């Protein structure tokens, strides 16, 4: 990303601006996906591989698939509960 | 993600500036969700099954709420401690 040379006066044409905005959104989505991927690898390794063998056996692969699904369920639930809480807190502030 | 190294604010298109502010706020919230999911997964999910059972869901939901309560309590008490130290 290059924010180093804004045009004089700071105004961009709308095509440049749209491009910049969608690039930023994409970068954030990518970072988010990477974070989730990393967490799932770490968590599911921990849950499913108690004794690392020479390959991932069938039951380990099934466990990993299940674990990923449950991690995403947990992520979505957390996201929902957190958003509701923020909403309540901001209502409290008036 | 940090956008601290933006050029002089006066030179940034205001529409872009507010877009960036919104997006970085959203990214911050998402980072918080990652953190909470990590903490609550560790505490609530034992063996991953074919779905999250209701006991696990309750645990996760309580975990999020109590974590936030804890953060708020810590922040309040910490502020008092700092103020107390300032008066010495």
């Amino acid at each position: 990303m290059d924010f180093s040379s804004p045009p004089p006066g700071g105004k961009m044409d709308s095509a440049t601006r749209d491009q910049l905005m969608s690039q930023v959104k994409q970068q954030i989505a990518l970072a988010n996906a990477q974070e989730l991927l990393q967490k799932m690898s770490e968590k599911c390794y921990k849950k499913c591989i108690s004794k690392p063998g020479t390959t991932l056996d069938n039951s380990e692969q099934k466990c990993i698939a299940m674990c990923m699904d449950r991690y995403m369920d947990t992520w979505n639930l957390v996201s929902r509960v957190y958003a509701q809480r923020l909403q309540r807190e901001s209502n409290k502030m008036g | 993600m940090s956008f601290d190294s933006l050029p002089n604010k006066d030179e940034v298109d205001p529409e872009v500036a507010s877009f960036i502010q919104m997006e970085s706020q959203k990214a911050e919230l998402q980072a918080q969700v990652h953190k909470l999911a990590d903490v609550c997964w560790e505490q609530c999910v034992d063996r991953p099954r074919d779905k999250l059972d209701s006991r696990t869901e309750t645990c996760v939901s309580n975990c999020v709420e109590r974590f936030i309560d804890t953060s708020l309590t810590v922040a309040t008490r910490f502020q008092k401690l700092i103020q107390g130290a300032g008066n010495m």
Side-chain angles (χ1 to χ4, degrees):
Chain A
M1 252 181 281
D2 181 19
F3 295 114
S4 57
S5 53
K11 283 282 173 197
M12 307 178 184
D13 63 77
S14 68
T16 311
R17 193 166 55 207
D18 288 353
Q19 201 196 0
L20 175 70
M21 286 182 179
S22 78
Q23 232 173 44
V24 169
K25 273 184 188 280
Q26 236 174 46
Q27 298 260 359
I28 292 177
L30 187 67
N32 196 35
Q34 273 170 342
E35 176 76 18
L36 186 60
L37 202 62
Q38 203 183 24
K39 290 273 190 205
M40 286 194 300
S41 301
E42 181 195 320
K43 299 300 177 192
C44 297
Y45 179 84
K46 215 166 130 187
K47 287 269 187 245
C48 298
I49 319 294
S50 49
K51 276 198 198 129
T54 51
T55 57
L56 282 185
D57 66 34
N58 223 337
S59 71
E60 285 169 334
Q61 293 197 22
K62 272 189 195 138
C63 176
I64 290 168
M66 188 102 88
C67 171
M68 286 176 70
D69 290 349
R70 296 298 80 74
Y71 197 83
M72 286 190 265
D73 289 347
T74 305
W75 202 95
N76 288 328
L77 176 59
V78 165
S79 174
R80 220 160 47 232
V81 173
Y82 186 55
Q84 283 162 3
R85 177 65 185 261
L86 287 182
Q87 190 64 53
R88 263 186 287 134
E89 293 295 332
S90 82
N91 289 344
K92 242 195 265 176
M93 307 272 218
Chain B
M1 228 175 284
S2 167
F3 296 103
D4 291 343
S5 56
L6 280 172
N8 188 344
K9 281 210 163 52
D10 302 334
E11 291 173 17
V12 178
D13 187 323
E15 204 176 317
V16 173
S18 81
F19 166 80
I20 298 285
Q21 206 197 348
M22 281 266 285
E23 288 302 315
S24 57
Q25 214 170 45
K26 275 201 307 208
E28 233 171 90
L29 291 183
Q30 237 153 20
Q32 191 61 29
V33 174
H34 281 299
K35 169 88 197 141
L36 285 166
D38 184 329
V39 170
C40 299
W41 169 268
E42 288 297 326
Q43 225 171 10
C44 298
V45 183
D46 184 25
R47 279 266 137 206
R49 303 194 185 282
D50 54 347
K51 69 188 224 16
L52 281 190
D53 57 36
S54 69
R55 215 185 51 179
T56 307
E57 284 189 351
T58 309
C59 177
V60 169
S61 168
N62 285 338
C63 167
V64 172
E65 297 281 3
R66 297 300 79 72
F67 191 94
I68 298 169
D69 289 345
T70 304
S71 311
L72 293 175
T73 306
V74 167
T76 310
R77 183 166 142 72
F78 189 69
Q79 197 182 15
K80 281 193 191 132
L81 289 176
I82 298 244
Q83 279 164 355
N87 291 336
M88 281 200 297

